[in-house]
Amino acid sequence: MESMFRLMDHEDSPTTSRCIWVNGPVIVGAGPSGLATAACLREQNVPFVVLERADCIASLWQKRTYDRLKLHLPKQFCQLPKMPFPEDFPEYPTKRQFIDYLESYASRFEVNPKFNECVQSARFDETSGLWRVKTVSNVESTRTEVEYICRWLVVATGENAERLMPEIEGLSEFTGEVIHACDYKSGEKFAGKKVLVVGCGNSGMEVSLDLANHFAKPSMVVRSSVHVMPRELMGKSTFELAMTMLKWLPLWLVDKLLLVLSWVVLGNIEKYGLKRPEMGPMELKSAKGKTPVLDIGALEKIRSGKIDVVPGIKRFNGNRVELVNGEQLDVDSVVLATGYRSNVPYWLQESEFFAKNGFPKTAVGNSGWKGRTGLYAVGFTRRGLSGASMDAAKIAQDIGSVWKLETTQPTKRSMGSLRRCISQQF
């Protein structure tokens, strides 16, 4: 059970303000990364508080994903620490099944986030040696401002906190509907319409497939090179096969084998406008965090002409779009499958550990989970749910070791620092 002590409360106006000491870490974000960290801390008997700006856990999955979404990797690579998926779940769980799993996970480990609390700022107070995390919530016409004071801060807002909106000439004057992929639910309402899908990652491919399945006429913008791989090779998950080979073979050889096997299964995809990068798929993932597209049927629609592949966009003009090759298309709607970005720079007042792009400066690979002064990051290493789970376990172990040492040998440091912190603020 989280240990918190209310230190100040002003309730004589529509705006209330209070300061709360957290006897453990504050975790910002109640997505899979935040839940995994909280569960691992629970196992270490370390109290914590989870702050979430939305009104539910895993808001990205619950509110900003399309209906047909399934996990792209087998469930054993997507389960969180201490709790596998139910045995009766399919190998690739649906969106609803994954949400049910996360809700069961939060219940099992007694993770009860503070919902509707949007973090405005977080900074380390050098004088007290503590983090000061300010939040705002608006519930029933009352604005509540809370400052949480803690020794450890875990940033779990992840790679996909905010939609990434591209700047394209004329897009703001486009006469049709423009939505981001996070607002796309189903292709049903687009039946018979000409839809331009901007982006060719996993989301762009799957949105295009869904549109084609609902008898829309999608054109998918492929501006740069992309690795498209079959979801399964030789009866096994492509990802699982790659991970197995990497235990015994060098990265460059694994990439060669994957590309040969993909060519056998998919054929030459470049003739459809899908040019492969010079760097191999696993090397690209390791070096730049760029995930290969796992094909679940879009390529067949491209071959049959039900999905058109077009080059980059030059400009929009009314309800028409001009491409970089001079071709012009009539378009009814636009879906921007242009990805997401971190929102950390907007609220975290720190520049040593996190870079300006909102990622830890050593985010790709096995590092990037621990900074200085009690600052941690989970879900930023571009290794998916399995990477976030590993980071969560490391963070909990790191904090837990200090917690156990200090609770068996209590000192006056924390409360003394707290008193200095409070006296300066109030």
Side-chain angles (χ1 to χ4, degrees):
M1 180 176 183
E2 289 82 358
S3 279
M4 302 191 309
F5 303 97
R6 183 176 297 185
L7 300 176
M8 182 169 289
D9 200 340
H10 302 295
E11 298 183 348
D12 55 353
S13 69
T15 299
T16 65
S17 301
R18 64 182 190 265
C19 185
I20 296 175
W21 161 251
V22 179
N23 196 21
V26 165
I27 302 169
V28 182
S33 297
L35 296 179
T37 306
C40 291
L41 287 166
R42 180 74 69 201
E43 291 288 290
Q44 295 279 338
N45 294 314
V46 178
F48 56 83
V49 168
V50 180
L51 303 177
E52 170 57 49
R53 65 179 177 177
D55 60 0
C56 61
I57 64 168
S59 62
L60 175 65
W61 282 87
Q62 299 215 46
K63 298 185 176 185
R64 293 187 286 160
T65 50
Y66 37 91
D67 296 340
R68 64 162 287 127
L69 180 64
K70 294 183 179 180
L71 294 178
H72 291 120
L73 303 181
K75 60 184 179 182
Q76 66 266 30
F77 296 105
C78 299
Q79 65 191 26
L80 301 187
K82 318 292 182 181
M83 181 175 147
F85 281 94
E87 291 185 4
D88 61 344
F89 272 30
E91 185 172 15
Y92 299 95
T94 65
K95 165 185 171 178
R96 183 66 256 172
Q97 287 171 325
F98 185 55
I99 293 170
D100 289 344
Y101 166 76
L102 293 177
E103 289 177 340
S104 297
Y105 189 87
S107 176
R108 174 175 173 177
F109 293 102
E110 300 178 59
V111 183
N112 301 300
K114 303 292 181 183
F115 292 121
N116 299 305
E117 294 214 24
C118 183
V119 175
Q120 301 295 296
S121 68
R123 68 179 180 87
F124 184 72
D125 189 315
E126 296 284 354
T127 302
S128 64
L130 298 168
W131 283 93
R132 307 177 72 120
V133 184
K134 294 183 178 181
T135 71
V136 169
S137 63
N138 291 282
V139 179
E140 297 180 353
S141 302
T142 299
R143 175 184 171 93
T144 302
E145 299 175 351
V146 181
E147 183 174 39
Y148 294 90
I149 300 175
C150 57
R151 183 169 174 186
W152 299 285
L153 176 63
V154 181
V155 179
T157 48
E159 307 168 12
N160 302 318
E162 304 288 347
R163 70 188 72 186
L164 188 59
M165 302 294 287
E167 293 184 5
I168 305 174
E169 183 181 346
L171 179 60
S172 59
E173 285 80 42
F174 176 67
T175 56
E177 180 183 18
V178 180
I179 63 171
H180 191 272
C182 67
D183 296 316
Y184 178 93
K185 298 302 178 186
S186 167
E188 186 175 1
K189 74 171 187 176
F190 296 99
K193 293 185 177 181
K194 298 174 182 178
V195 184
L196 186 71
V197 180
V198 182
C200 60
N202 279 298
S203 293
M205 285 278 190
E206 197 157 348
V207 166
S208 297
L209 173 61
D210 190 57
L211 287 165
N213 286 340
H214 283 92
F215 307 105
K217 301 172 183 177
S219 295
M220 184 175 64
V221 176
V222 180
R223 188 179 50 147
S224 57
S225 57
V226 58
H227 277 301
V228 180
M229 318 284 289
R231 185 169 68 174
E232 295 183 345
L233 285 169
M234 299 169 22
K236 285 186 174 291
S237 155
T238 300
F239 181 78
E240 181 180 3
L241 181 63
M243 291 299 101
T244 301
M245 289 194 294
L246 283 171
K247 293 178 181 178
W248 311 102
L249 302 173
L251 180 62
W252 68 268
L253 183 54
V254 171
D255 272 341
K256 291 287 186 184
L257 293 171
L258 288 175
L259 289 174
V260 169
L261 291 171
S262 294
W263 187 88
V264 170
V265 174
L266 302 178
N268 178 17
I269 66 172
E270 293 202 6
K271 64 182 180 180
Y272 302 111
L274 301 170
K275 183 180 179 181
R276 290 196 181 277
E278 293 184 5
M279 194 178 290
M282 300 307 292
E283 183 183 2
L284 190 64
K285 174 69 174 171
S286 176
K288 298 184 179 180
K290 190 173 182 181
T291 303
V293 172
L294 296 176
D295 178 55
I296 58 172
L299 198 56
E300 182 56 40
K301 297 290 185 183
I302 292 171
R303 288 195 190 99
S304 66
K306 294 181 179 178
I307 298 175
D308 287 332
V309 174
V310 299
I313 298 169
K314 185 175 182 180
R315 66 172 66 89
F316 282 89
N317 184 12
N319 67 339
R320 295 174 66 84
V321 59
E322 182 181 348
L323 305 176
V324 292
N325 63 356
E327 183 182 358
Q328 296 200 17
L329 303 175
D330 289 321
V331 179
D332 298 311
S333 303
V334 176
V335 179
L336 300 171
T338 46
Y340 299 85
R341 58 177 170 80
S342 165
N343 68 1
V344 174
Y346 294 96
W347 57 269
L348 182 62
Q349 298 174 15
E350 190 274 347
S351 59
E352 182 179 325
F353 182 44
F354 276 87
K356 291 182 179 180
N357 66 355
F359 282 76
K361 294 179 180 178
T362 53
V364 178
N366 294 320
S367 57
W369 60 273
K370 182 179 180 180
R372 291 179 60 251
T373 64
L375 179 62
Y376 297 88
V378 58
F380 290 90
T381 50
R382 295 185 172 102
R383 290 180 293 131
L385 292 167
S386 61
S389 294
M390 286 188 282
D391 289 345
K394 292 174 186 175
I395 291 168
Q397 183 66 40
D398 198 58
I399 295 175
S401 61
V402 177
W403 177 264
K404 290 173 184 176
L405 179 64
E406 295 194 351
T407 52
T408 54
Q409 298 177 357
T411 67
K412 297 181 180 180
R413 175 195 177 280
S414 294
M415 290 307 296
S417 298
L418 176 62
R419 282 193 294 270
R420 290 195 298 274
C421 183
I422 300 302
S423 65
Q424 288 183 355
Q425 182 68 11
F426 299 106

